Amino acid sequence: MITYLVHHETALFWGWMLAFLIPGAALLRAALWPQRMPPENSVGAIRARIERERWTPAPDQTRPWPVTATRPARRPASHRSAA
């Protein structure tokens, strides 16, 4: 009987170890293991990109829109339609 209890308790111990330690170790590794960050996502690269964008003009500001014709004058109020 004692041998049965010893084996039973040992099996329960290792069962609980498998049930909690392996998932716990996997969660701990996922939470604490450092992730490799691509170099373009580093703080220095982001700051350099922001500075580069700050000093380069936006695409719509590089050349003014070409003027093709003069703007038509507004019609006087007396010539406007009543609709």
Side-chain angles (χ1 to χ4, degrees):
M1 181 73 178
I2 297 293
T3 307
Y4 170 77
L5 287 176
V6 169
H7 288 295
H8 181 70
E9 288 177 3
T10 305
L12 282 176
F13 171 78
W14 288 113
W16 283 106
M17 286 294 140
L18 288 174
F20 286 101
L21 279 183
I22 291 177
L27 287 174
L28 192 65
R29 180 187 182 276
L32 300 178
W33 195 265
Q35 298 292 321
R36 293 193 177 266
M37 186 185 325
E40 64 269 8
N41 289 345
S42 68
V43 174
I46 292 172
R47 283 184 180 156
R49 188 177 71 231
I50 290 171
E51 287 297 321
R52 200 170 47 246
E53 289 173 358
R54 180 180 293 169
W55 294 109
T56 57
D60 61 343
Q61 295 176 347
T62 55
R63 284 182 49 207
W65 291 96
V67 178
T68 57
T70 59
R71 187 173 176 186
R74 292 187 60 172
R75 293 178 10 185
S78 61
H79 289 74
R80 291 187 190 150
S81 65

